[in-house]
Amino acid sequence: MEKWLEAFERRPAYLATKSDYYTHVMDIPPQYGPGQTVSEGEPFQKAIDGREGWTLPLPPLTGEDLEPVLDFWNPGDEAARHEAAFCLTSNFKAVAKFAARAAGSDVGSWQRNGGFSKSALADPYAKAEDSIIPDVEACLAHVANALLNGTDKAKADMKGAQGNAEVQKACLEYLRKRISVPRDMSYPAARQFRAHIGWVISQL
C-alpha cells in the first residue's frame, strides 16, 4: 500500500491536486459535520491547526514527519520560500485586499447564518476595509522580504513601521488561517508562508 501511494506522489498531475492536513481539516466539517476531539489527539491537533509548528525556525521537511514529505517532491526550504514569495507578489494587491477583510464588515456572517453547514473560514460576504489596505500591503512586503532575504534583513527594514499594529496583526492572522493547499500554493510553500506571516506578526 505504501509503495502504491508513493507511486501516486511521483506523478506531477497528482501532486498538483495534493492538499495538506490543515486544509482538509478545515474543509471537512461543513461537509460531514463537526469533528469530535479526544484528549489523546491534542498534540496532533495543535501541530496541524497552527497552535504549534507555524513558527520560525522551521525544521527541515522529511518523510518521517507527522505530515510526511518524501524526498522526491521535497523542494527544500529555499525553493519553498521562493514559491511562497512568488505566489504572494504575483497577486499582491488582491491578497492585501483579502487580508483587509479582517478590519471590515460582515466577517464571519457566512457561518453565523448557515451554522455547521458553512465553513468558518469561507467568508464570501466579508468586505475589506479599504483604509487599512496600505498598512496591510506594507506588512505583506515585509513577509515577502523575509521569505526572499531572511528575517535579519527584514527586521532591519521594519524599523519605524507605521499604523495600528493590532489591526495589522488581525489582518495577517486572517490571511494566515486561509492559506489553502493546493489552491494557493504547495504544502512546503504554505508552511513557509504561514510561519513567515507569524514572524511578521511577532515583530509588530
Side-chain angles (χ1 to χ4, degrees):
M1 179 65 74
E2 184 176 351
K3 289 183 178 180
W4 185 73
L5 291 171
E6 182 178 315
F8 260 110
E9 294 196 352
R10 291 182 180 274
R11 300 185 66 85
Y14 174 77
L15 281 181
T17 67
K18 184 177 174 63
S19 189
D20 69 340
Y21 292 175
Y22 176 76
T23 304
H24 278 309
V25 166
M26 302 312 295
D27 278 347
I28 287 173
Q31 301 174 55
Y32 303 113
Q36 304 302 313
T37 61
V38 295
S39 58
E40 294 83 357
E42 186 174 6
F44 305 102
Q45 186 179 11
K46 287 181 177 179
I48 291 169
D49 69 15
R51 284 178 288 166
E52 295 179 359
W54 287 8
T55 55
L56 297 177
L58 290 170
L61 290 170
T62 75
E64 305 301 319
D65 295 343
L66 173 63
E67 186 162 358
V69 173
L70 303 181
D71 288 343
F72 56 80
W73 71 272
N74 182 354
D77 289 347
E78 183 178 29
R81 290 194 302 271
H82 288 181
E83 180 190 342
F86 174 80
C87 291
L88 169 60
T89 57
S90 63
N91 204 23
F92 190 78
K93 293 288 186 181
V95 174
K97 185 167 185 175
F98 178 86
R101 286 177 171 186
S105 60
D106 291 328
V107 175
S109 63
W110 174 254
Q111 188 187 44
R112 285 195 300 272
N113 296 331
F116 290 122
S117 67
K118 305 296 185 183
S119 170
L121 299 183
D123 228 359
Y125 300 146
K127 298 176 180 63
E129 173 54 60
D130 289 345
S131 66
I132 197 67
I133 290 177
D135 284 356
V136 176
E137 289 179 342
C139 291
L140 292 176
H142 293 312
V143 174
N145 190 7
L147 286 164
L148 292 171
N149 302 308
T151 54
D152 288 345
K153 174 68 164 59
K155 187 171 184 176
D157 292 342
M158 286 182 71
K159 290 181 179 178
Q162 303 294 315
N164 187 322
E166 293 308 311
V167 174
Q168 293 168 9
K169 289 178 183 180
C171 291
L172 291 175
E173 187 61 28
Y174 184 93
L175 172 63
R176 184 164 77 145
K177 288 181 176 178
R178 288 163 175 79
I179 298 165
S180 177
V181 175
R183 182 194 65 190
D184 300 323
M185 58 191 70
S186 70
Y187 166 60
R191 177 175 175 262
Q192 293 288 342
F193 195 24
R194 291 163 181 155
H196 281 76
I197 290 175
W199 179 82
V200 170
I201 289 173
S202 75
Q203 301 300 308
L204 292 173

